[in-house]
Amino acid sequence: MTAATMTAGTPGSGSKSGAGPRTLFDKLWDAHVVVERPSGDALIWIDRHFVHEGSFHAFAQVAGRDGIVVEPGLTFGIADHYVPTRGRDHIANSEIARMIDDLAANTARHGVELFGLNDPRQGIVHVVGPEQGLTLPGLTMVCGDSHTSTHGAFGAYAFGIGASEVAHVLMTQTLWQKKPRRMRISIDGTPAPGVGAKDFILSIIAKIGADGARGYAIEYGGEAVRALSMAGRMTMCNMSIEAGARCGLIAPDETTFRWIAGRPYAPKGAALEAAIAAWRQLPSDAGAVFDREITIDAGAIAPIVTWGTSPEDALPIGASVPDPAALADEGRAAAMRDALAYMGLRPGQKLSEIVVDRVFIGSCTNARIEDLRAAASVLAGRKARVPGLVSPGSSQVKRQAEEEGLDRIFIAAGLEWVESGCSMCVGMNGDSVSSGERCASTTNRNFRGRQGPGARTHLMSPAMVAAAAVTGHLTDVRPMLEGRS
Amino acid sequence: MKPLTHVAGPACPLGLAGVDTDQLIPARFMKRPRSEGYGGFLLHDLRRDDAGVEKPDFPLNRPVWRGAEIMVARRNFGSGSSREAAVYALADHGVRVVLAPTFGDIFASNAVKNGLLPAVLDEADIEDLLAALTATPDLPVSVDLAEQTVAWGNRAVTFAIDPVWREQLLNGWDDIDVTRSCAGEIARFRAADDDRRPWARPAGA
């Protein structure tokens, strides 16, 4: 494995995929191959790299090699994982204060722009990137965060990496990757009112399994996906990682271009027009072949909630907790019994009878302005029966929500309105769910201990979380939306 | 990176499916520098009770498997978060090989970069090995990376590993040195790409 055994690729030639019809993913891949190994591994160019507080391991590796950040102009620092959502003026936890200071010092040392704790553009990396126009179609984008798949909603090849790969990108602006296989998931038809992107993606994961898309790049298509807003598309691509894929993609279209125009870091004027002309060439060609195809009828999807400790443990709200005794496979039955014991649920119990202790609205999955509007439309004029936290996806989303009066709806309902960050999704900043407590959550992971040791998490859409807050139990939101916009 | 060729000894039958990286190391332990060692946090919340006391029945806590360099798990090991700390916890604990039917993609990639072998076995072979270890806890297990085999008792089965990763592990190679040898190609790509995709660089804010 030396340079002599590799062959240089021709940028944009598409040699690897042949001259025939190509998928969106093929086009992204071909445009970024720097060098290809006979094995099929390729060195690919990285267009955008985001670093957050967890990057201190990678910066330590760079320092250990006396390395430099070779493309500081393509690298952006954003504080999100550990930032407090309250009392930001004085951070009481010294370990957290040190990590936030380390990010500032590391980005300053290497000339990397930082959206720090008190920057009005601060927020969750995967909300801020699109908001600032740093996320564009046709790019390769990475971050030391598995939910980097979010940016695929724009037709970018975006994926999460580990600390050693973060260090590799900092020092070379490239990564070694094996080309994934291609899967297309088409959602046809029109969903019922109250059913949206979160229900789509949870139902897909329930269908194919938490490792069902392992080794694949998923392209989402079909009428129901085309009809989604950018926020909905980001929610779907965000949770591609929960289906086992490292990236999810949606072809750019007029919805995408309208969203990008005018964003601070996006191309402007003639440059934007040239970019859009290039981006129009990205969608999969007619006749392009996928390694696996799945088709789903949007009309058959109901609001979905999870009952277990994997995102694949998801069912329509009208269903009941499954019974391990009904499983033929003893290994799987044992795993289900473990999950139900952890979650404190009994087989056959109706999902709509599961009582919650608190709610959380936030995270890179569902904390954009449209998500907050959806939750507020349920909560307006109603009271929450349980406590809860609402953390907007970015400081800009927070300001916009306040201009629209959404904060007053949340506060009047009895929920807490706080600053932006990863917050209770991962519990790194001190916002967490207590052991044994049950939380209705807009986040992406219901893993054991994810929201805190012993925390019991049920994943669902923002509207469904709002409904659970009002009734105090998991609830079908649809009747609560009648007569509301 | 230390080369890995052959590992032999006890194998810890973790036996769990879907061990995500949040379980391998809960987020609250990831603030510390690596130099402090991450081994004590491995599977922390599964391994210990609410008071932090080790559960004697948990496989990793049983004396026979406490120092095992080989771990055996069911499907989807290392799914979830990209946190490389999950690999640090395994490596710092002394684990050099994990045998499972499927691995989370990012976890497997992180593992190889830290000299930890994620070896993919058929589900049936995993079940056989788990059953053998239940019957005979101190059964010696042998993993040979060059031959891509796992042997125990009178059985020897093959495992799968990406050929590039295999070479890297066998030789202890480091990606960054390899990539730096491609500096000329990277510079040529960058120059051509700036002409081809001028819109790909961030506009001034």
Side-chain angles (χ1 to χ4, degrees):
Chain A
M1 195 174 67
T2 63
T5 64
M6 302 176 210
T7 53
T10 309
S13 69
S15 56
K16 180 74 180 170
S17 303
R22 293 185 297 163
T23 68
L24 165 60
F25 184 80
D26 293 326
K27 295 178 190 184
L28 293 171
W29 178 267
D30 292 344
H32 288 88
V33 172
V34 176
V35 162
E36 231 170 309
R37 287 171 177 155
S39 62
D41 286 53
L43 187 66
I44 61 168
W45 176 256
I46 300 300
D47 292 312
R48 290 287 184 281
H49 185 196
F50 297 123
V51 292
H52 58 75
E53 304 95 301
S55 63
F56 73 93
H57 287 296
F59 278 106
Q61 289 183 36
V62 174
R65 288 171 169 270
D66 295 325
I68 59 158
V69 176
V70 293
E71 294 280 355
L74 303 182
T75 314
F76 293 84
I78 305 178
D80 66 357
H81 274 63
Y82 292 86
V83 297
T85 49
R86 287 160 282 204
R88 285 192 176 182
D89 295 338
H90 176 73
I91 302 174
N93 183 311
S94 60
E95 278 186 310
I96 288 178
R98 194 199 70 223
M99 291 186 77
I100 291 169
D101 289 347
D102 282 353
L103 178 65
N106 282 324
T107 50
R109 181 176 306 128
H110 293 282
V112 169
E113 186 166 359
L114 172 70
F115 301 173
L117 187 60
N118 296 312
D119 191 303
R121 302 167 300 177
Q122 180 274 339
I124 298 168
V125 169
H126 308 306
V127 176
V128 171
E131 194 169 81
Q132 292 298 323
L134 289 164
T135 303
L136 301 173
L139 302 187
T140 47
M141 306 183 64
V142 296
C143 176
D145 180 331
S146 57
H147 288 109
T148 308
S149 57
T150 307
H151 308 274
F154 290 77
Y157 175 24
F159 54 99
I161 56 178
S164 296
E165 288 178 313
V166 171
H168 190 279
V169 177
L170 290 173
M171 287 188 272
T172 70
Q173 204 58 30
T174 63
L175 268 182
W176 289 100
Q177 288 291 299
K178 183 172 283 296
K179 190 176 178 185
R181 288 168 290 173
R182 296 139 303 179
M183 178 188 295
R184 178 160 59 192
I185 301 180
S186 303
I187 309 181
D188 295 332
T190 308
V195 173
K198 190 67 166 282
D199 306 300
F200 293 175
I201 190 66
L202 282 171
S203 63
I204 288 167
I205 298 165
K207 183 184 172 88
I208 69 174
D211 56 357
R214 199 175 42 81
Y216 287 94
I218 305 174
E219 180 177 340
Y220 302 101
E223 190 186 348
V225 171
R226 295 256 67 85
L228 285 175
S229 66
M230 289 314 296
R233 295 177 185 190
M234 285 188 256
T235 297
M236 286 202 71
C237 288
N238 174 274
M239 289 192 72
S240 301
I241 184 78
E242 272 69 50
R246 246 172 123 170
C247 70
L249 302 157
I250 294 174
D253 59 10
E254 300 308 318
T255 301
T256 323
F257 308 146
R258 272 196 303 275
W259 208 91
I260 290 168
R263 304 266 166 192
Y265 289 88
K268 294 166 180 73
L272 178 63
E273 281 171 32
I276 289 175
W279 297 338
R280 285 191 203 284
Q281 306 304 313
L282 284 172
S284 295
D285 298 329
V289 177
F290 290 82
D291 300 291
R292 191 175 171 198
E293 293 247 23
I294 293 170
T295 302
I296 292 169
D297 172 15
I301 299 175
I304 309 272
V305 299
T306 62
W307 52 265
T309 54
S310 164
E312 70 185 16
D313 301 336
L315 285 168
I317 182 65
S320 299
V321 174
D323 187 353
L327 291 179
D329 181 330
E330 179 42 38
R332 293 194 183 217
M336 185 184 282
R337 280 194 296 273
D338 268 0
L340 294 181
Y342 180 84
M343 292 298 290
L345 299 174
R346 56 172 205 282
Q349 185 177 2
K350 288 176 80 73
L351 294 174
S352 58
E353 288 172 0
I354 295 173
V355 172
V356 299
D357 301 301
R358 63 174 58 250
V359 300
F360 175 65
I361 298 172
S363 87
C364 57
T365 313
N366 281 123
R368 291 171 285 268
I369 191 71
E370 289 175 34
D371 298 313
L372 300 186
R373 287 179 193 144
S377 74
V378 176
L379 287 163
R382 291 175 169 143
K383 291 279 181 202
R385 295 173 72 106
V386 295
L389 202 62
V390 186
S391 175
S394 70
S395 299
Q396 186 168 308
V397 168
K398 182 165 190 274
R399 285 194 302 279
Q400 189 177 351
E402 288 170 352
E403 282 163 17
E404 295 181 14
L406 305 182
D407 59 324
R408 293 193 291 280
I409 294 174
F410 294 128
I411 293 165
L415 301 179
E416 214 179 334
W417 175 248
V418 298
E419 301 288 338
S420 171
C422 295
S423 183
M424 207 181 273
C425 174
V426 66
M428 283 171 165
N429 74 335
D431 296 343
S432 62
V433 177
S434 303
S435 187
E437 267 194 340
R438 192 181 298 288
C439 182
S441 184
T442 64
T443 55
N444 39 42
R445 287 181 174 147
N446 52 347
F447 297 155
R448 286 167 192 264
R450 171 75 177 181
Q451 290 193 279
R456 293 164 169 166
T457 300
H458 295 269
L459 306 177
M460 63 199 78
S461 72
M464 286 287 285
V465 169
V470 170
T471 63
H473 56 84
L474 304 190
T475 305
D476 190 337
V477 69
R478 288 174 292 185
M480 297 174 73
L481 289 170
E482 281 168 21
R484 297 183 175 221
S485 60
Chain B
M1 196 171 86
K2 190 171 143 193
L4 184 145
T5 51
H6 187 261
V7 179
C12 176
L14 195 59
L16 302 170
V19 179
D20 54 75
T21 53
D22 276 82
Q23 290 177 70
L24 285 167
I25 181 166
R28 62 188 186 278
F29 299 123
M30 293 169 6
K31 303 185 191 89
R32 303 176 188 208
R34 174 73 188 280
S35 54
E36 290 180 12
Y38 273 56
F41 308 129
L42 176 63
L43 293 162
H44 185 280
D45 292 351
L46 285 178
R47 200 178 167 184
R48 295 169 189 273
D49 64 20
D50 289 346
V53 179
E54 285 188 359
K55 300 175 186 170
D57 291 344
F58 192 73
L60 204 61
N61 295 335
R62 291 184 50 186
V64 63
W65 296 317
R66 186 172 282 275
E69 293 184 318
I70 303 168
M71 193 171 268
V72 190
R74 291 194 164 96
R75 74 181 254 262
N76 212 15
F77 188 88
S79 57
S81 160
S82 59
R83 61 186 70 168
E84 197 159 307
V87 175
Y88 300 161
L90 284 159
D92 291 358
H93 193 272
V95 179
R96 306 203 67 204
V97 182
V98 180
L99 309 172
T102 59
F103 288 92
D105 275 342
I106 308 178
F107 171 85
S109 164
N110 288 340
V112 171
K113 288 174 172 54
N114 290 275
L116 174 75
L117 166 64
V120 175
L121 262 73
D122 285 347
E123 204 147 9
D125 291 333
I126 288 285
E127 294 304 324
D128 280 358
L129 178 53
L130 288 171
L133 290 167
T134 305
T136 315
D138 59 352
L139 180 73
V141 175
S142 170
V143 178
D144 189 304
L145 179 54
E147 300 294 324
Q148 286 182 236
T149 55
V150 181
W152 67 91
N154 56 8
R155 287 210 63 188
V157 301
T158 56
F159 65 82
I161 178 81
D162 177 286
V164 172
W165 286 353
R166 177 175 166 274
E167 290 289 289
Q168 258 179 298
L169 285 164
L170 282 172
N171 296 289
W173 274 334
D174 188 290
D175 269 349
I176 287 172
D177 293 333
V178 175
T179 307
R180 282 178 169 164
S181 74
C182 303
E185 286 95 334
I186 295 172
R188 278 193 291 282
F189 178 94
R190 187 185 185 286
D193 189 57
D194 276 344
D195 289 341
R196 198 167 48 90
R197 298 186 310 142
W199 44 266
R201 288 197 168 250

